[in-house]
Amino acid sequence: MCGIVAGLAQRDISKILIEGLHRLEYRGYDSAGVAVIDPAGELRRARAVGKVRALEDELREAPLSGAIGVAHTRWATHGRPAQHNAHPHLSSERVAVVHNGIIENHEALRGELEGAGYVFTSETDTEVVAHLVDRELCSGLALPEAVNAVTARLDGAFALAVMEQRNPELLVGARQGSPLVVGVGIDEHFIASDPLALLPVTDRFVYLDEGDMVAITPAGIQVLERTGDRDELTPVTREVVRYEHSVEAAGKGEYRHFMMKEIMEQPRVLSRTLAERLDPQGVRLEAFDVSRHSFLAADNGAEKGKQVVDVARLTQLFADVRQVQIIACGTSYHAGMVARYWLEEVAGIPAQVEVASEFRYRERVAAPGTLFLTLSQSGETADTLAALRDIQKLNREGPQAGHYLASLAICNVAGSSLVRESDLSLLTHAGPEIGVASTKAFTTQLVALMLTTLALRQAKGDGQTDDLLSRQLLMRLKDLPHVIEQSLALDGEIAQLAEKFMHRHHTLFLGRGSQYPIAMEGALKLKEISYIHAEAYAAGELKHGPLALIDEDMPVVAVAPMDDLMEKLKSNLQEVRARGGQLFVFADPEVSLKAGEGVHVVTVPGVCRFLAPIVYAVPLQLLSYHVAVLKGTDVDQPRNLAKSVTVE
Ligand code: M6R
């Protein structure tokens, strides 16, 4: 989705902005642009449809330079991908705006501005912001006050960076519903929608709170909070946080694609997600972080320099959980579906899983004692965030409206909106995930979900009785990175198998029990990056319809670990084979399945049935990767998709 990078420096900023745009490319976009105020005081702009490379070509023809600038990658929402719709948008040749998100009331504002004589040159919702700011400046307001007055009139979610030709030493940013960070440098400061954009110039960031504005001048950064019915701006102090990953962590290293690098990183990042979270008694509750205003924060936490969780309160909260409501989108939703099996069987707690875009728009009944659990790699997915905000609103309205005990986010991005707005969070330490297809984020989410399941089980126990299942699972978790390494060793075999898929138009994925969501995840990966239509079914559903699709042109991928459902799955596979279907089975060494005519078996390392979903996800990731490479698609930035879906 759209990306913002902007800055004010004491040197030419154009190269920093272009490098920042390259670093935002992974998010998905269709056009790019940049504007600077040049040394002669002129507002200059360049825009191009397509990749940032196209913008660079344009800049080679007509270079831009200046110490202040705003730049953007656009993912079209209002108006097709075209140069005139690309950002930055200007007003009166003196205001330049870049914008992420959607201005919902843009049509009414456009009518009003046209009535006032403004001429629009794009179909975007963003252009209204440029003209509104211009109108406020004309009425005599300074830029921060003008932006504040304008944002007060905007409905929807947005992040903005704005500059004014007459004031080349002032850059203003505003955040409302879309992420925005301030990059803190030495004598130069920046704004971006994602810290990754700025890693070459700084590793220190201020994460703006909802509703914050920032004014950047040569004197420094001033974060402004809107108070008094939003028309007053009060300076506030926000913490400066050091980014924990290196610039290299966001690079491709020796790999051809980010996706492959990220698949191969899994043993290491799974170890990191487990590290320091286990002790001989079980899961350490200190692993859960609390947000600044959380009722679970220890009273003396802030004195220790970091807000920490009150372990006694959290133990009580976990003991009180009667139900878990899991909300997520895409791959994260599949992780949630696996967790449902674990929560019910391991922790004995009923769980419901729903995609955020459905949950947020229906009337719901929350059972008392419900823990609201969100899953997200980015922590910025619009629907997931909206679902969280919705239940928080219900909780504020009183017990008759909502019964959610607390909100817990399992997330990969420390300063993300989801983490900051949830009561509790458990970070996955997958490191930056750049490939649009989620891989290491998924398996680390599963590990974090197993830790949460065990923590809930612990809280329900008496703390005295020896808990054999917990002990066994903890042991197996410690061994998991090693098993994943063995799983990755299947890469060569899977690369060969991929050749059998590259000319197919459809593929069916089958799984049972907690492997059904893994079949769904395998299908999502394949369609997402190879553009092959793929569907997943719980294998027991085959006879209820999809069996009609089976013929020799329909490859059927099955996930077959050693568990209680194995014999039943084998019968389902026989049904496929009897109708001429080509089977590709990822199976446990103990599953006696013979390869032969129409049956390909890939033996996956043996693993305990609870952790099998994590292990079986890996060969399916490799399969879709190799099919996509053979088909020559854009593996890391598949068509039409964005890494982080920050608009509805
Ligand atoms: O950042 P999130 O985990 O909230 O993102 C959710 C989905 O958009 C994401 O998992 C998407 O489905 C991936 N591209 C799948 O590979």
Side-chain angles (χ1 to χ4, degrees):
M1 301 249 136
C2 302
I4 289 176
V5 50
L8 173 62
Q10 294 188 1
R11 53 177 166 155
D12 175 30
I13 204 157
S14 55
K15 285 202 175 54
I16 298 172
L17 298 182
I18 297 296
E19 172 60 22
L21 293 185
H22 274 302
R23 290 174 162 271
L24 293 175
E25 288 191 287
Y26 79 100
R27 299 170 65 91
Y29 69 105
D30 46 55
S31 51
V34 57
V36 296
I37 300 173
D38 73 9
E42 294 297 316
L43 183 54
R44 309 256 328 271
R45 168 176 72 170
R47 298 179 293 174
V49 175
K51 298 283 182 194
V52 176
R53 274 197 310 276
L55 178 65
E56 285 178 295
D57 290 343
E58 198 149 303
L59 290 172
R60 256 188 295 279
E61 298 286 306
L64 296 183
S65 70
I68 182 169
V70 295
H72 193 261
T73 47
R74 173 175 188 257
W75 191 85
T77 56
H78 298 72
R80 66 192 162 87
Q83 194 192 39
H84 69 277
N85 285 329
H87 301 208
H89 286 285
L90 308 187
S91 181
S92 310
E93 294 299 318
R94 66 170 183 149
V95 174
V97 173
V98 289
H99 157 230
N100 284 1
I102 289 180
I103 314 289
E104 287 168 2
N105 56 338
H106 72 103
E107 275 176 18
L109 293 169
R110 178 181 276 252
E112 177 188 318
L113 286 158
E114 281 171 341
Y118 282 97
V119 176
F120 281 76
T121 58
S122 77
E123 292 102 53
T124 65
D125 51 343
T126 306
E127 199 178 347
V128 297
V129 181
H131 295 318
L132 284 171
V133 171
D134 182 70
R135 199 165 62 166
E136 295 297 344
L137 290 173
C138 290
S139 79
L141 290 184
L143 187 61
E145 285 70 26
V147 172
N148 185 37
V150 169
T151 55
R153 299 200 57 203
L154 304 179
D155 293 338
F158 52 82
L160 299 168
V162 188
M163 64 180 188
E164 180 196 2
Q165 177 261 334
R166 284 194 306 209
N167 196 348
E169 300 206 322
L170 175 62
L171 175 65
V172 171
R175 172 195 170 138
Q176 189 163 303
S178 288
L180 203 63
V181 298
V182 181
V184 182
I186 297 167
D187 294 336
E188 55 184 23
H189 305 297
F190 308 90
I191 299 174
S193 49
D194 181 335
L196 285 180
L198 299 175
L199 287 187
V201 283
T202 185
D203 64 351
R204 295 188 308 139
F205 294 95
V206 172
Y207 291 85
L208 295 180
D209 271 3
E210 270 309 284
D212 276 355
M213 283 183 46
V214 62
I216 296 178
T217 63
I221 292 164
Q222 191 158 65
V223 179
L224 302 161
E225 195 176 42
R226 295 167 204 172
T227 49
D229 250 355
R230 296 165 49 119
D231 46 10
E232 283 164 39
L233 291 172
T234 313
V236 280
T237 309
R238 299 267 181 256
E239 195 189 353
V240 178
V241 179
R242 204 167 277 276
Y243 192 76
E244 58 169 324
H245 304 289
S246 62
V247 189
E248 294 74 47
K252 259 200 284 240
E254 70 201 65
Y255 293 95
R256 185 169 159 203
H257 298 104
F258 280 107
M259 184 180 176
M260 190 51 150
K261 172 182 174 247
E262 289 158 6
I263 290 174
M264 290 297 167
E265 276 174 347
Q266 289 178 108
R268 189 164 53 81
V269 298
L270 290 176
S271 296
R272 207 159 61 191
T273 302
L274 284 166
E276 292 168 29
R277 286 171 166 182
L278 303 177
D279 62 24
Q281 281 70 50
V283 177
R284 298 182 67 228
L285 292 190
E286 291 82 352
F288 291 87
D289 292 313
V290 278
S291 57
R292 228 175 336 137
H293 309 294
S294 172
F295 67 100
L296 293 161
D299 298 333
N300 61 349
E303 292 159 24
K304 296 180 183 160
K306 182 180 183 261
Q307 202 66 66
V308 290
V309 70
D310 182 321
V311 171
R313 265 186 241 165
L314 183 57
T315 308
Q316 187 54 54
L317 176 98
F318 277 180
D320 291 342
V321 172
R322 296 284 166 268
Q323 176 172 300
V324 180
Q325 173 67 64
I326 304 176
I327 293 299
C329 303
T331 289
S332 298
Y333 168 69
H334 297 151
M337 283 185 73
V338 173
R340 182 164 66 112
Y341 290 89
W342 293 342
L343 284 162
E344 301 218 344
E345 193 175 345
V346 177
I349 299 174
Q352 294 186 28
V353 196
E354 192 167 346
V355 288
S357 53
E358 286 298 311
F359 178 86
R360 62 181 285 201
Y361 286 118
R362 68 179 179 86
E363 292 297 320
R364 306 165 302 253
V365 181
T370 300
L371 175 67
F372 187 78
L373 198 170
T374 52
L375 295 168
S376 175
Q377 187 285 128
S378 60
E380 302 295 350
T381 300
D383 284 321
T384 310
L385 262 172
L388 169 68
R389 290 173 184 156
D390 192 51
I391 68 106
Q392 285 173 333
K393 185 165 164 275
L394 282 184
N395 269 12
R396 278 196 300 274
E397 284 167 7
Q400 61 291 7
H403 295 279
Y404 297 94
L405 273 185
S407 53
L408 162 63
I410 291 185
C411 186
N412 194 37
V413 181
S416 62
S417 307
L418 201 67
V419 167
R420 287 141 54 85
E421 294 179 33
S422 299
D423 299 313
L424 275 176
S425 58
L426 184 60
L427 289 178
T428 51
H429 292 307
E433 190 181 67
I434 309 289
V436 163
S438 200
T439 53
K440 60 178 181 171
F442 178 64
T443 48
T444 52
Q445 275 173 350
L446 288 174
V447 164
L449 283 162
M450 180 50 96
L451 292 176
T452 306
T453 304
L454 289 168
L456 286 164
R457 180 180 166 96
Q458 257 166 241
K460 299 228 171 287
D462 58 10
Q464 308 295 323
T465 324
D466 179 35
D467 182 354
L468 185 63
L469 178 61
S470 290
R471 273 200 293 118
Q472 284 175 338
L473 279 171
L474 290 171
M475 229 164 59
R476 302 266 193 263
L477 269 177
K478 285 183 195 152
D479 196 36
L480 182 67
H482 174 62
V483 186
I484 298 289
E485 251 163 38
Q486 295 171 343
S487 213
L488 289 170
L490 296 169
D491 185 44
E493 186 180 344
I494 294 173
Q496 282 183 2
L497 204 67
E499 291 169 17
K500 303 203 179 300
F501 289 78
M502 65 178 290
H503 299 300
R504 302 306 174 116
H505 298 293
H506 311 274
T507 300
L508 213 58
F509 283 74
L510 300 179
R512 295 194 75 125
S514 60
Q515 294 291 353
Y516 169 43
I518 298 305
M520 293 174 77
E521 175 58 10
L524 177 62
K525 288 285 92 87
L526 190 69
K527 70 183 114 183
E528 188 175 26
I529 59 168
S530 76
Y531 315 148
I532 292 175
H533 168 230
E535 275 193 80
Y537 278 93
E541 274 291 292
L542 209 54
K543 286 194 208 66
H544 301 284
L547 204 53
L549 294 171
I550 303 294
D551 62 16
E552 53 287 353
D553 290 329
M554 172 70 91
V556 177
V557 176
V559 201
M562 197 58 207
D563 59 21
D564 298 348
L565 294 170
M566 176 38 55
E567 287 310 320
K568 294 196 184 304
L569 179 68
K570 273 189 186 165
S571 313
N572 302 139
L573 299 186
Q574 292 299 339
E575 290 156 12
V576 171
R577 202 50 215 123
R579 282 149 186 93
Q582 300 284 307
L583 279 172
F584 297 84
V585 190
F586 291 83
D588 185 273
E590 284 181 37
V591 171
S592 51
L593 261 179
K594 281 206 180 56
E597 178 67 26
V599 183
H600 307 264
V601 179
V602 177
T603 306
V604 178
V607 58
C608 91
R609 70 183 173 93
F610 285 109
L611 302 188
I614 311 179
V615 174
Y616 281 72
V618 173
L620 298 190
Q621 296 167 349
L622 289 169
L623 179 66
S624 54
Y625 172 79
H626 287 295
V627 176
V629 170
L630 286 172
K631 290 195 69 176
T633 56
D634 189 343
V635 173
D636 287 330
Q637 289 167 43
R639 67 186 181 200
N640 307 338
L641 297 182
K643 179 66 185 163
S644 181
V645 185
T646 49
V647 295
E648 252 191 281

